[in-house]
Amino acid sequence: MSKIAANNLIGLSGLLLGVIITIIIYFINRHIGEKKRLFDERQQYVTTRSKAAAWNVTSIILLVAWAFIIVYDGISFSFFLMTGIWVAHNISLIITSIYFSGQN
């Protein structure tokens, strides 16, 4: 195995470990919060509003990153990867908007 491949595997294992730790902490926090009754309607409202605001900020960040890629890297793999991320980001918004509109 080459040194580059080994470094990539180490990086990916760190990413995977971070995801696993985050999931474990989420479930522990959720369990403690349910015991203390922290997840009421007010908290759900705040969470919903903060996620909506984060969505808008993420859209702006993606657009800036997309422009940065076009200027500095040109039309290459990273451009098409960023385009795919942008399209997936907005399609998921459309799908969730339709879903939640149907529930109301």
Side-chain angles (χ1 to χ4, degrees):
M1 181 182 309
S2 70
K3 188 167 181 95
I4 294 173
N7 286 338
N8 288 343
L9 285 176
I10 290 170
L12 286 175
S13 66
L15 179 64
L16 180 63
L17 183 63
V19 169
I20 291 170
I21 290 171
T22 302
I23 291 170
I24 291 169
I25 290 172
Y26 170 79
F27 283 115
I28 291 171
N29 184 35
R30 192 81 182 154
H31 180 70
I32 292 170
E34 285 175 354
K35 280 186 174 180
K36 294 182 179 181
R37 300 176 200 257
L38 296 177
F39 304 120
D40 59 355
E41 294 82 18
R42 186 180 60 93
Q43 190 274 338
Q44 290 176 355
Y45 176 77
V46 169
T47 299
T48 302
R49 299 279 302 186
S50 64
K51 285 182 181 181
W55 183 274
N56 295 334
V57 171
T58 302
S59 294
I60 293 168
I61 291 170
L62 285 174
L63 282 174
V64 169
W66 204 8
F68 183 80
I69 287 171
I70 291 170
V71 169
Y72 288 102
D73 202 22
I75 306 299
S76 63
F77 173 74
S78 55
F79 168 78
F80 290 108
L81 178 63
M82 198 67 192
T83 302
I85 291 170
W86 178 254
V87 169
H89 177 73
N90 287 301
I91 287 175
S92 65
L93 174 62
I94 292 167
I95 291 170
T96 55
S97 295
I98 291 169
Y99 174 75
F100 287 114
S101 291
Q103 286 189 339
N104 289 330

